[in-house]
Amino acid sequence: MDSDRQHCDTSNEYVHLQNPHLKSMTSDFLYHFNLGTATHDLPAMFGDVKFVVVGGSATRMGKFARYIHQELGLPESEEPQDLADTDRYGMFKAGPVLSVSHGMGMPSMSIMLNELLKLLYHARCSNVVMFRMGTSGGLGLEPGTVVISKAAVDSCFRPRYTQIVLGQEISRPAELDQGLVDELLHVAAQEEGLTAVAGNTMCANGFYEEQGRLDGAFCDYTEQDKLQYLQKGRDAGVRNIEMESLCFAALCRNAGVKAGVVCVTLVDRLRGDQVTTPHDTLKEWELRPQKLLAKFIRSRLGMK
Ligand code: R2B
Ligand code: URA
């Protein structure tokens, strides 16, 4: 079954869910957020959301929300609080910006994103732009470089997210909005000390063997095999490797929501596997996607 025929129209203003069963449900409980249509006034809580930023850790997404709160000059009384009353994911709101954690890997991203897209739908949010920001391994890039993804690709460099549904493979396209790529590059060019490039992002189902590392608990291939594989990726336009972009790109696209992926690279995988950069430097690099998105949001809101 190929779901290409399902719509991928990102020009409509509302979130489009592709599930006829939702209409007949009297209420919907978003279990992993502990939020629901019967228990919460979702339009009142979230109806004004225009930007959604997701990233791996709940702590980081809380800090990001507080940073955005400052950047947008929002009142102290509206200091972002964790709105997801579970320890699975963190969810923080700073004015029109919703900051949500997704954990590590596509299964975790997929659970969170199903519920987040439903939340935006129930809240009747319109004209929402979504971003994943995070860390990655680079291919032939100076560590600390920010990659703005043109498309997410799988471990065979195909821009498709494949799921097994009812025992059958379904595959959804994972290209990203090219207008957003250009806009992000434009904003990045104005940020001093930031090097940003556009390229494909390979999304792997693991950190070690699946990313061709030689330093996991298991490895049956040689360094030459590893380099051949990574070079093939680089030749196919891959500039960085992480673990969630494919699911994120494909599901946002399927819901008709414009999406972008912005990740900083922590290591050049053509030169090594271990992430040994000093902690303080890593912390500074991790702020780079945050600064870029803050600038993007401010610019979209007409702030300097
Ligand atoms: C980037 O970093 C994490 C692994 O260290 C993973 O969530 C990802 O995509
Ligand atoms: N995250 C990844 O998934 N891979 C890396 O190499 C670094 C961060």
Side-chain angles (χ1 to χ4, degrees), residues 45-104:
M45 289 174 77
F46 299 104
D48 63 339
V49 168
K50 296 292 174 206
F51 306 93
V52 177
V53 182
V54 304
S57 112
T59 309
R60 183 153 33 96
M61 296 319 287
K63 282 190 187 152
F64 177 68
R66 288 189 286 280
Y67 166 55
I68 290 289
H69 178 263
Q70 267 187 353
E71 283 289 300
L72 300 188
L74 297 168
E76 246 174 65
S77 58
E78 290 173 22
E79 171 94 358
Q81 307 297 329
D82 195 346
L83 301 169
D85 190 15
T86 75
D87 56 9
R88 296 294 189 190
Y89 303 108
M91 176 185 285
F92 307 84
K93 187 170 176 299
V97 182
L98 192 64
S99 171
V100 190
S101 69
H102 55 62
M104 277 196 283

Side-chain angles (χ1 to χ4, degrees), residues 135-138 206-207 211 213 241-243 266-267 269 273 275:
T135 57
S136 61
F207 186 80
Q211 296 190 21
R213 280 191 152 79
I241 305 175
E242 47 75 92
M243 295 174 58
L266 304 183
V267 58
R269 293 298 321 292
D273 293 336
V275 180

Side-chain angles (χ1 to χ4, degrees), residues 66-237:
R66 288 189 286 280
Y67 166 55
I68 290 289
H69 178 263
Q70 267 187 353
E71 283 289 300
L72 300 188
L74 297 168
E76 246 174 65
S77 58
E78 290 173 22
E79 171 94 358
Q81 307 297 329
D82 195 346
L83 301 169
D85 190 15
T86 75
D87 56 9
R88 296 294 189 190
Y89 303 108
M91 176 185 285
F92 307 84
K93 187 170 176 299
V97 182
L98 192 64
S99 171
V100 190
S101 69
H102 55 62
M104 277 196 283
M106 287 197 274
S108 182
M109 168 65 95
S110 161
I111 295 168
M112 189 286 290
L113 204 49
N114 269 270
E115 295 184 15
L116 178 58
L117 289 168
K118 290 199 296 172
L119 182 148
L120 299 172
Y121 170 80
H122 291 310
R124 295 195 280 280
C125 296
S126 60
N127 294 317
V128 175
V129 187
M130 291 180 64
F131 296 101
R132 154 161 156 73
M133 66 174 189
T135 57
S136 61
L139 283 191
L141 297 174
E142 196 55 41
T145 303
V146 168
V147 178
I148 297 164
S149 310
K150 290 200 222 172
V153 298
D154 66 11
S155 301
C156 300
F157 319 126
R158 299 170 297 208
R160 305 197 68 81
Y161 172 50
T162 303
Q163 298 166 262
I164 310 281
V165 177
L166 304 184
Q168 274 195 291
E169 274 195 2
I170 66 153
S171 159
R172 293 179 165 139
E175 277 96 8
L176 289 152
D177 189 87
Q178 297 310 303
L180 269 188
V181 173
D182 293 341
E183 205 174 332
L184 286 164
L185 281 172
H186 180 73
V187 173
Q190 295 158 10
E191 182 78 20
E192 225 173 279
L194 185 89
T195 306
V197 298
N200 291 344
T201 296
M202 181 181 116
C203 181
N205 268 323
F207 186 80
Y208 289 99
E209 290 169 283
E210 295 86 345
Q211 296 190 21
R213 280 191 152 79
L214 301 170
D215 63 342
F218 310 97
C219 185
D220 300 325
Y221 45 84
T222 64
E223 181 169 18
Q224 199 195 4
D225 296 336
K226 162 198 158 173
L227 289 174
Q228 233 171 35
Y229 173 65
L230 294 182
Q231 191 55 52
K232 201 171 152 199
R234 171 123 187 135
D235 295 345

